[in-house]
Amino acid sequence: MNKLIENSIKKDMLINVGPQHPSTHGVLRLILTLEGEIIKDTKPVIGYLHRGKEKLAESRTYFQYLPMVDRVDYLSGFFYQAALCYAAESIGEIKVPKRAEYIRLITMEFNRIASHLLWLGSFLLDLGATSPLFYVFREREKIITLFEELTGQRMMYNFYTYGGVKKDFPEGWIAKAIDLCKEMPKLFDEYEAIITKNPIVLERTQKTGILSKELGLNYGITGPNIRASGVNLDLRKSNTYSVYNETDFKTCLAQSGDSYARYIVRVQEMRESLKIVEQALKQIPGGTPEKLKVKKVNCNCNREECEYCGFDSKLAEKKINPMTFKLPIGEATAMIESARGIIACYLVSDGTAKPYRIKWRTPSFSAVQILPELIKNSPYSDLMPIFGSLDVVLPEVDR
């Protein structure tokens, strides 16, 4: 009898996790090979959410395609719109007024915080904690409310355009944003008070899912996941774009490369993003919309490079007609440091009103590919903490 029990324990068992499992954060299917409670092999099965975002670009004009890229990552759509705009602006040599670049930076960094907040709540939910999910939605709601006032939308913003942004901040928006920046550090303190030294969190995240520098770089891991392994890779610093070079912030790093380190890096990043937003709100050319109105009236130079005359509430509409907009023949790659890592938009123009080719590089795709390496020989109970720590959004994987 003991021998039969021993043989049954040693026998491998295949189980499915997903594609409807709530902790797969979408529609990811994992085929696990278990030996008892130990994961011996993992096969991610993707494609349940495939929507052909790259191929659809070839049958739509540039302005028709632009609203679609918000959906590649529905939690941080500003970054994808920025990548597409930067690629098109590079080919077309389209100049973006400085005030518009500041608006892009402010909205992208607020979007990074909102994305990290939702990750934090879902990550803790994967560990069995429900209270943090309500806390993060409380703060995320304040950011989403600002986005709604600015763009009219709560998720799919369609706010950036080729040449800048579609409109200026509404009156009072900057003041509300400054107040929120002052309020949020105290709220982050609340999170850390109940999470950072929590013995259950430490037990389930420390020394699990360890990602080495070499393995991470070989798989193309970027963003907080690779910075938690000690790799100082942040495009906002190393390959600066927009007006990040006019703000002062630090790259958040950790060395252990485990699930806990990935948590620590993202919490630190939210604080640094707040610093970037605060600086940008104070430094934005023209100041608040109320002050800008007065300055524009008193400025009659009509030069595009002027920080006042170069920005208009209907920015780019005077220069770019959506019905006739074309790019010259050429190609460009724009790279953005998004909430989940480096995204790249490779755009090829054949001189017509539609892109000839578009290719997206998304960080979540690489994160799914490395998952089997991170959870191999781990207990089944470590699956969700490890996978949750990678911050995967499935539309990025399937596109």
Side-chain angles (χ1 to χ4, degrees):
M1 178 63 72
N2 290 336
K3 193 171 183 179
L4 288 173
I5 295 174
E6 185 179 346
N7 290 336
S8 65
I9 292 174
K10 289 183 178 179
K11 188 176 180 181
D12 290 345
M13 178 174 62
L14 287 177
I15 67 169
N16 276 295
V17 179
Q20 287 83 25
H21 194 289
S23 290
T24 57
H25 299 268
V27 284
L28 175 67
R29 178 187 175 200
L30 300 174
I31 301 176
L32 304 180
T33 302
L34 299 181
E35 185 180 291
E37 290 287 328
I38 304 301
I39 300 172
K40 291 299 181 182
D41 187 39
T42 305
K43 293 182 180 178
V45 182
I46 64 176
Y48 291 93
L49 200 61
H50 187 59
R51 294 169 296 171
K53 278 291 186 288
E54 293 169 343
K55 190 65 177 176
L56 284 170
E58 299 171 20
S59 60
R60 282 157 174 77
T61 68
Y62 287 97
F63 275 88
Q64 287 173 337
Y65 183 63
L66 187 57
M68 298 177 66
V69 300
D70 283 296
R71 291 152 178 79
V72 178
D73 179 0
Y74 53 83
L75 297 181
S76 50
F78 280 125
F79 296 102
Y80 280 86
Q81 286 220 324
L84 178 59
C85 287
Y86 285 134
E89 288 158 3
S90 176
I91 295 174
E93 298 182 354
I94 302 171
K95 187 176 181 181
V96 181
K98 204 167 191 179
R99 183 176 176 90
E101 283 289 12
Y102 267 90
I103 294 175
R104 284 182 177 181
L105 181 143
I106 291 166
T107 50
M108 280 192 288
E109 289 306 309
F110 263 143
N111 208 177
R112 190 185 311 275
I113 297 170
S115 178
H116 282 352
L117 284 172
L118 190 54
W119 166 81
L120 181 60
S122 62
F123 177 56
L124 270 294
L125 191 64
D126 289 343
L127 299 179
T130 55
S131 297
L133 184 67
F134 295 99
Y135 295 158
V136 301
F137 266 96
R138 177 188 61 187
E139 275 66 75
R140 183 175 178 271
E141 179 67 21
K142 297 174 182 178
I143 297 176
I144 298 301
T145 299
L146 284 177
F147 287 164
E148 187 177 14
E149 289 181 13
L150 178 61
T151 70
Q153 304 293 331
R154 294 176 59 82
M155 286 187 71
M156 315 303 177
Y157 306 110
N158 189 24
F159 180 64
Y160 297 169
T161 190
Y162 308 109
V165 294
K166 292 189 174 179
K167 61 180 179 179
D168 197 358
F169 291 131
E171 293 187 11
W173 197 96
I174 290 180
K176 292 177 184 177
I178 291 174
D179 290 342
L180 182 57
C181 288
K182 293 177 181 178
E183 177 187 358
M184 291 196 81
K186 298 177 182 177
L187 303 173
F188 294 158
D189 292 340
E190 290 183 12
Y191 304 152
E192 293 209 70
I194 62 175
I195 298 172
T196 302
K197 295 183 179 180
N198 186 297
I200 299 176
V201 173
L202 296 177
E203 181 69 24
R204 298 201 66 189
T205 59
Q206 286 186 328
K207 298 181 180 179
T208 65
I210 297 176
L211 174 63
S212 67
K213 294 180 181 179
E214 295 76 16
L215 186 64
L217 293 173
N218 287 341
Y219 272 81
I221 302 299
T222 56
N225 290 332
I226 199 66
R227 290 194 284 273
S229 299
V231 178
N232 190 353
L233 177 61
D234 188 334
L235 290 188
R236 296 173 296 174
K237 288 280 191 180
S238 62
N239 189 24
T240 187
Y241 55 94
S242 188
V243 285
Y244 280 104
N245 60 337
E246 298 183 14
T247 60
D248 182 31
F249 65 98
K250 68 178 183 180
T251 301
C252 302
L253 299 172
Q255 300 299 324
S256 60
D258 56 11
S259 301
Y260 185 73
R262 292 188 277 275
Y263 154 76
I264 290 295
V265 166
R266 289 189 176 92
V267 171
Q268 292 175 349
E269 279 195 0
M270 288 193 287
R271 296 183 184 275
E272 290 302 309
S273 290
L274 274 181
K275 293 179 183 178
I276 295 173
V277 172
E278 280 188 294
Q279 294 173 64
L281 289 169
K282 294 175 182 177
Q283 297 169 194
I284 186 169
T288 64
E290 297 86 340
K291 292 181 180 178
L292 183 62
K293 281 183 179 180
V294 176
K295 291 181 178 179
K296 284 185 70 174
V297 169
N298 296 331
C299 181
N300 298 310
C301 70
N302 293 320
R303 297 198 314 268
E304 289 185 9
E305 62 268 21
C306 175
E307 63 184 28
Y308 309 124
C309 296
F311 185 85
D312 188 11
S313 61
K314 295 183 178 179
L315 181 62
E317 291 185 4
K318 292 180 179 178
K319 305 173 188 176
I320 299 175
N321 185 340
M323 303 301 294
T324 59
F325 178 68
K326 297 179 182 179
L327 290 177
I329 296 174
E331 59 183 314
T333 300
M335 302 176 71
I336 299 287
E337 186 71 42
S338 76
R340 264 153 283 283
I342 295 175
I343 61 174
C345 177
Y346 173 63
L347 172 62
V348 180
S349 170
D350 60 358
T352 66
K354 299 176 182 179
Y356 179 72
R357 289 286 187 274
I358 282 186
K359 174 67 178 177
W360 290 99
R361 189 270 178 198
T362 58
S364 290
F365 184 83
S366 300
V368 168
Q369 306 314 306
I370 205 171
L371 179 62
E373 298 282 354
L374 299 186
I375 64 177
K376 191 173 184 179
N377 296 322
S378 297
Y380 177 75
S381 58
D382 286 347
L383 170 62
M384 292 313 166
I386 294 172
F387 179 62
S389 71
L390 296 175
D391 190 15
V392 171
V393 171
L394 264 297
E396 270 197 342
V397 178
D398 290 339
R399 295 192 294 283

